[in-house]
Amino acid sequence: MIDKLEFFLALARERHFGRAAEECGVTQPTLSAAIRQLEDQLGVILVNRGSRFQGLTPEGQRVLEWARRIVGDTRTMREEMRAARKGLSGHIRLAAIPTTLSMVPLITAPFQEKHPDVTFSVLSTTSLQILALLENLEIDAGLTYLENEPLGRVTSVPLQIEQYHLVTAVGTPLSDRESVTWKEVSNIRLCLLTADMQNRRIINQHFAEAGAVATPTLESNSMIVLFSHVRTGRWASIMPYNVAKSFGFHENIRMIPIVDPDVRHTVGLVATYREPFTPLVSALLHEARMLSERNAAR
């Protein structure tokens, strides 16, 4: 039953029998047969079929919720038993919005020092995608904004407060200022994150509050791309102070606070609420709380 539910989860994610079979490491006929056996066992049709996958039935949607819960609990049980036998080991899958990527080593480095048999993978993505990945059991935790948009049923640990700065080269417009307003920043050549990023939605909101509109001439989903363009002296950008500082800007780059309004937003670690947590996620949350305490003490 657990294997069949795993196959069903993969099919719901991929929405394609062939890709789901490939993800599960089985042939397409094997996966299709397992889904039909699951339907026979439950006495309902789970998948609308034609020449290809056409979505889940209403019963399939309900079983999907149960499958996530059952498979999640099963993975937790297996991981807990493995930890009891061998100590903490395994793999942690993280996803982070671009503005939090510089924070990831502040968690992974001390964690790995304490638990050397644990490995990590880190994905850079949007805040909405992080929530979808958590729901589908494709990641263990994410780093994202905590206060601006609904998070659903998650456990969260606040880690850092973002304060927005204009990041610009010396000798460019506004570079000689000690502070600038959102309205003033709207009038210069900007490179910003793409519109699907929550950071960009927040920036657009604050421009609107100042009676202005952001019209960047370059957009990217990568902070490295933005940083590289700022260094040319032809673009400025808007970045949280801690993110800008992490790039190690040289003396020719200035970071200027943006005021009117002076805004701050909290970012942190989120994980799907579950009792008990897997040993890996429990240890990860503990490490995040320790980082939060260190940041609060500064």
Side-chain angles (χ1 to χ4, degrees), residues 2-298:
I2 298 298
D3 288 344
K4 291 169 189 170
L5 291 176
E6 290 270 18
F7 291 166
F8 182 61
L9 284 175
L11 179 60
R13 282 195 301 269
E14 296 295 332
R15 303 183 64 81
H16 187 279
F17 280 94
R19 289 196 299 269
E22 185 177 352
E23 180 187 323
C24 295
V26 298
T27 64
Q28 184 171 330
T30 298
L31 183 133
S32 297
I35 299 297
R36 288 197 181 278
Q37 290 168 12
L38 182 61
E39 291 176 323
D40 291 341
Q41 285 179 279
L42 298 176
V44 293
I45 299 299
L46 302 177
V47 179
N48 291 315
R49 297 174 178 85
S51 58
R52 62 188 66 185
F53 178 85
Q54 295 181 349
L56 301 181
T57 65
E59 294 80 7
Q61 290 289 350
R62 184 64 181 137
V63 169
L64 179 61
E65 296 175 19
W66 278 104
R68 288 167 175 158
R69 189 181 312 174
I70 293 168
V71 170
D73 286 345
T74 302
R75 291 179 183 177
T76 300
M77 178 184 67
R78 288 171 176 164
E79 191 178 304
E80 193 167 309
M81 294 305 99
R82 184 177 67 240
R85 294 194 315 270
K86 303 179 179 179
L88 204 60
S89 62
H91 186 74
I92 294 179
R93 302 159 300 168
L94 291 174
I97 58 174
T99 59
T100 64
L101 287 170
S102 62
M103 296 171 53
V104 174
L106 302 179
I107 297 174
T108 55
F111 187 102
Q112 222 270 332
E113 187 174 344
K114 296 171 188 171
H115 310 290
D117 293 329
V118 175
T119 59
F120 290 89
S121 57
V122 182
L123 173 69
S124 175
T125 188
T126 69
S127 57
L128 293 177
Q129 188 62 19
I130 286 173
L131 298 181
L133 292 169
L134 282 172
E135 184 178 44
N136 289 327
L137 307 179
E138 294 178 83
I139 59 171
D140 300 295
L143 282 88
T144 186
Y145 291 98
L146 301 185
E147 300 167 337
N148 305 290
E149 297 177 358
L151 291 174
R153 196 164 180 261
V154 300
T155 295
S156 62
V157 180
L159 296 176
Q160 198 163 265
I161 296 177
E162 287 190 347
Q163 181 182 11
Y164 292 99
H165 281 58
L166 174 67
V167 182
T168 190
V170 171
T172 57
L174 305 180
S175 64
D176 59 342
R177 301 280 294 277
E178 294 305 313
S179 66
V180 293
T181 68
W182 287 90
K183 194 169 187 65
E184 289 171 326
V185 171
S186 70
N187 294 318
I188 63 177
R189 185 195 296 263
L190 291 172
C191 56
L192 299 174
L193 287 176
T194 49
D196 60 330
M197 296 290 175
Q198 190 174 168
N199 168 270
R200 176 64 181 281
R201 294 195 290 275
I202 290 171
I203 286 173
N204 287 348
Q205 173 192 332
H206 295 316
F207 274 124
E209 290 167 354
V213 177
T215 53
T217 59
L218 184 142
E219 297 177 317
S220 175
N221 62 359
S222 166
M223 297 299 292
I224 294 292
V225 171
L226 301 187
F227 163 68
S228 300
H229 282 79
V230 168
R231 290 189 64 182
T232 68
R234 293 185 56 81
W235 282 270
S237 189
I238 299 170
M239 298 182 185
Y241 176 78
N242 290 302
V243 175
K245 195 170 95 172
S246 72
F247 284 119
F249 284 123
H250 52 75
E251 60 184 13
N252 291 330
I253 301 294
R254 292 208 63 213
M255 295 180 287
I256 306 166
I258 306 176
V259 298
D260 192 23
D262 181 3
V263 292
R264 295 156 199 264
H265 296 275
T266 304
V267 294
L269 185 82
V270 295
T272 302
Y273 180 81
R274 182 181 301 279
E275 287 292 347
F277 290 106
T278 68
L280 284 175
V281 171
S282 181
L284 186 70
L285 289 168
H286 174 72
E287 198 63 52
R289 292 186 184 105
M290 292 182 65
L291 174 59
S292 179
E293 291 171 4
R294 291 195 299 271
N295 287 340
R298 289 177 184 169

